[in-house]
Structures are given as structure tokens and as C-alpha cells.
Amino acid sequence: MTARTTYLDKGVASAMSALSAAAKRGLGDPALGELVMIRASQINACAFCLDMHVEIALKNGESAKRIALLDAWEEAGALFDERERAALALTEAVTVLTEDFVPDEVYERAAQHFDEAQLAHMLGLIAVINSWNRLMVSRRIEPGGTFS
């Protein structure tokens, strides 16, 4: 597969990178942040972002087993705790909007595990990874490719 274009305005890239960094900091849980970004990237079939965030997660101590089973987190038993499950459910609901909204029960489940600020940062992180996914997939940027 050949990239359609590797051009990305530096201002756009910088703004999106800043949003991603701020959302990760505000969430306060780098490991969970990477799981969220990996899960959204799986749904969106973004090989570039999967490659990047799996590598970051592994470097930060995430297990290969949990990453491998992330796509089946609901069936993975106790491998993911309730807080992680709530975050992953919210990630899926925001990434694949059903009937144009995020179901109340999914949002409320997440709100039981995250305070208001953390939840706002989680939503920001989910929004920005979905944006990155769409930018990379639409331009056909391959894993390890450049996008400047």
C-alpha cells in the first residue's frame, strides 16, 4: 500500500499532539490511556496508530497478553478490571456512535470510576485518537511511516 500523501500541516499536528498529551496527563493513568488509544485504533483499523501505541504500551510495562486480548476485553475475564472495562466500553461507544449518541448506562458506568476531570480527559483522549486514526487511515500511512 502506498501513502496517498504524507503531508500534514504542522499546526494541525502540533495542536492534536498537544491535545493528546494534555488528555493523557489529565487522565493520570498512562497505561490506561494507551489501552484506550489501542482499542479505538483497533476499531478504526489504523495500523499506524496501533503500531505506535502498542510499542508505547509495551515500553511502559503493559503485558503482551493484555494487548493481544484487548479486542476481546469483554470476554477476557479478570484480565481487565472494572475501571478498565468502563473506560474500554466508553471508548467503544464514543468511537462507534450508535443511534448518534453514547448510551447513558455506558457514560454512567465510566462516571462511577472516574471523577469529572478524569472523565473529561478520557473523552478528549478518545476524540483525539479517533481524529488521528481518521487522518492516518484516509491518507494510508503505514506502520512506522512518516506523516509530516
Side-chain angles (χ1 to χ4, degrees), residues 86-87 90 105-115 119 122:
L90 185 62
E105 60 273 9
V106 172
Y107 188 88
E108 290 165 8
R109 179 180 177 190
Q112 292 174 359
H113 296 279
F114 301 94
D115 66 29
L119 197 52
M122 174 81 68

Side-chain angles (χ1 to χ4, degrees), residues 70-109:
L70 188 56
D71 191 36
W73 64 268
E74 289 180 286
E75 302 298 325
L79 198 59
F80 298 98
D81 66 28
E82 286 305 312
R83 184 173 186 263
E84 292 166 332
R85 290 172 174 279
L88 294 168
L90 185 62
T91 300
E92 290 182 1
V94 173
T95 300
V96 182
L97 292 174
T98 305
E99 298 179 29
D100 300 324
F101 68 95
V102 174
D104 289 341
E105 60 273 9
V106 172
Y107 188 88
E108 290 165 8
R109 179 180 177 190

Side-chain angles (χ1 to χ4, degrees), residues 55-79:
E55 185 175 322
I56 293 169
L58 289 169
K59 283 182 183 175
N60 288 331
E62 186 57 73
S63 75
K65 182 176 183 174
R66 282 172 37 102
I67 293 170
L69 292 173
L70 188 56
D71 191 36
W73 64 268
E74 289 180 286
E75 302 298 325
L79 198 59

